[in-house]
Amino acid sequence: MRRFSSKYYTKKPLKSHCLIKFVIIIIEKLRIPLSHSSLEILLKNKGTIMNYKFISWNIDSLNAALTGTSERAALSLAVVKNLAQAQPDVLAIQETKLPSTGPKKAHLEVLEELFKGYKIVWRSSVEPARKGYSGTMILYKETLPEPVITFPEIDAPEPMDAEGRIITLEFPDFFVTTVYTPNAQEGLTRLDLRGIWDDNYRNYLTSLDAQKPVFACGDFNAAYTEIDLANPRGNHNSAGFTDQEREKFGQLLEAGFTDTFRQLHGQVEKFYEEGRSIYTWFAQRAKTSKLNNSGWRIDYWLVSNRLAQAVKVSEPLDSGERLDHVPILLEFEL
């Protein structure tokens, strides 16, 4: 199931069936700030409040998780099975590392067995980009309204637009978009190109936000503040924590988006609850990184400011002994 578009999004007219719906649309267009109580009243008058559960995860090779035989592949598959049991409405996956032609039969057999009642949308890295690199996927429940699906290109430096880094689903009331942000790499060899990506991606998200609220998730490859990683002093020149990357992420938030984890948990450090780490990535090279809670928070659920108060849960999920990224959960009412 693939649909391509050279535009940022495909406009799909929606009918308004009541005055409340029209008022909500105007509020969203004008970005009028509402208290949580006012927002809740409007949403109740709009109809039944729906509870949504979204999960995002940089899996660092869905290919290996579904077909590999290594110990790490087994740990990854265990996490996939846990996510399937959680029954999220939307599951966004980054760094799938699937072939350019997408999931093979062996991949689909596992996914369709675990995720019964879901539709699958994928995007792989294609020429001139490196094959089997990057890639994204979204699984969403068949019971949701059928979304308009796009695979945006944001005029990023070559070959980033060909690396399968963004998928966007447009539902009647909001967008869900996932991203795997390019890494500046060791020696910061791609830092300047990464900066162009950040500017263009911010412009893309704001173009969506001008239409309707946005839920944006993924591996943003940026720890925004010093409390978002365990060892800030030693990493100011490391990819993901340079002044430039932090500044660009701040500009994204200033463009009208809320970091939902900080919205709910404030400026907590290291742990947001007893024994529950704030970090979303633990280095594989450091075998004790998770045990010592020495990680980075570089994966996010961002939401348009005007719906920030609708978010009820935003937190990392347990991935057991597996290092690297952990899944992140978002729950909200709308």
Side-chain angles (χ1 to χ4, degrees), residues 297-327:
R297 194 174 75 90
I298 57 177
D299 303 84
Y300 299 84
W301 272 107
L302 305 182
V303 62
S304 297
N305 286 347
R306 58 193 183 278
L307 283 190
Q309 296 298 327
V311 175
K312 304 301 180 184
V313 177
S314 180
E315 62 190 25
L317 295 175
D318 181 23
S319 61
E321 296 178 8
R322 187 186 185 277
L323 298 175
D324 208 69
H325 295 265
V326 304

Side-chain angles (χ1 to χ4, degrees), residues 7 18 30 41-42 48 64 72 76 115 147 151-152 172 211 225 240 285 295 309 314 333:
K7 301 296 184 182
C18 64
L30 298 180
I41 290 170
L42 281 174
T48 303
R72 185 171 188 270
S76 298
F115 294 92
F151 302 86
Q211 303 300 308
T225 68
R285 295 178 182 177
Q309 296 298 327
S314 180
E333 294 179 347

Side-chain angles (χ1 to χ4, degrees), residues 76-121:
S76 298
L77 182 57
V79 178
V80 174
K81 290 179 177 179
N82 287 338
L83 297 183
Q85 291 177 357
Q87 288 287 293
D89 297 287
V90 171
L91 172 60
I93 301 174
Q94 306 89 44
E95 205 170 0
T96 56
K97 295 185 177 179
L98 292 174
S100 59
T101 53
K104 295 183 178 180
K105 182 180 178 180
H107 301 128
L108 290 174
E109 286 177 349
V110 179
L111 289 173
E112 290 170 359
E113 175 64 25
L114 291 175
F115 294 92
K116 290 182 173 68
Y118 284 79
K119 293 185 178 181
I120 302 172
V121 182

Side-chain angles (χ1 to χ4, degrees), residues 1 3 12 140 144-149 169-172:
M1 177 176 189
R3 304 175 195 170
K12 183 178 181 182
Y140 63 95
L144 293 174
E146 185 62 28
V148 175
I149 302 164
L169 275 55
E170 179 185 359
F171 291 101

Side-chain angles (χ1 to χ4, degrees), residues 259-276:
D259 174 355
T260 58
F261 178 84
R262 290 297 178 196
Q263 162 83 7
L264 293 179
H265 302 287
Q267 300 304 301
V268 294
E269 302 182 34
K270 300 184 183 300
F271 298 96
Y272 65 96
E273 291 180 3
E274 185 175 355
R276 303 189 68 181

Side-chain angles (χ1 to χ4, degrees), residues 78-300:
V79 178
V80 174
K81 290 179 177 179
N82 287 338
L83 297 183
Q85 291 177 357
Q87 288 287 293
D89 297 287
V90 171
L91 172 60
I93 301 174
Q94 306 89 44
E95 205 170 0
T96 56
K97 295 185 177 179
L98 292 174
S100 59
T101 53
K104 295 183 178 180
K105 182 180 178 180
H107 301 128
L108 290 174
E109 286 177 349
V110 179
L111 289 173
E112 290 170 359
E113 175 64 25
L114 291 175
F115 294 92
K116 290 182 173 68
Y118 284 79
K119 293 185 178 181
I120 302 172
V121 182
W122 57 270
R123 188 178 189 185
S124 292
S125 181
V126 296
E127 292 183 350
R130 178 156 47 102
K131 295 180 181 180
Y133 173 71
S134 185
T136 46
M137 177 180 285
I138 295 180
L139 297 91
Y140 63 95
K141 284 185 175 179
E142 293 177 348
T143 53
L144 293 174
E146 185 62 28
V148 175
I149 302 164
T150 52
F151 302 86
E153 296 186 357
I154 60 173
D155 296 323
E158 290 189 357
M160 292 176 179
D161 272 334
E163 291 172 342
R165 293 184 174 276
I166 307 174
I167 300 176
T168 298
L169 275 55
E170 179 185 359
F171 291 101
D173 295 319
F174 52 78
F175 290 98
V176 180
T177 184
T178 191
V179 65
Y180 176 40
T181 304
N183 192 296
Q185 298 187 345
E186 289 188 19
L188 304 179
T189 56
R190 281 212 302 187
L191 182 61
D192 290 341
L193 299 179
R194 160 67 188 267
I196 297 172
W197 167 280
D198 284 336
D199 289 337
N200 292 5
Y201 179 73
R202 182 177 66 253
N203 292 337
Y204 169 65
L205 276 198
T206 55
S207 76
L208 296 184
D209 189 46
Q211 303 300 308
K212 62 183 68 173
V214 178
F215 294 89
C217 69
D219 176 2
F220 285 78
N221 263 315
Y224 181 39
T225 68
E226 292 201 344
I227 61 173
D228 288 316
L229 69 167
N231 181 26
R233 289 187 180 181
N235 281 293
H236 280 283
N237 292 315
S238 298
F241 195 61
T242 63
D243 290 344
Q244 173 181 298
E245 290 164 306
R246 296 170 64 193
E247 180 181 359
K248 296 290 187 183
F249 191 81
Q251 290 173 1
L252 177 58
L253 297 180
E254 291 169 2
F257 300 96
T258 297
D259 174 355
T260 58
F261 178 84
R262 290 297 178 196
Q263 162 83 7
L264 293 179
H265 302 287
Q267 300 304 301
V268 294
E269 302 182 34
K270 300 184 183 300
F271 298 96
Y272 65 96
E273 291 180 3
E274 185 175 355
R276 303 189 68 181
S277 174
I278 71 168
Y279 305 127
T280 67
W281 179 80
F282 299 90
Q284 294 185 69
R285 295 178 182 177
K287 299 302 181 183
T288 60
S289 59
K290 181 176 279 190
L291 182 64
N292 295 330
N293 197 35
S294 180
W296 296 46
R297 194 174 75 90
I298 57 177
D299 303 84
Y300 299 84

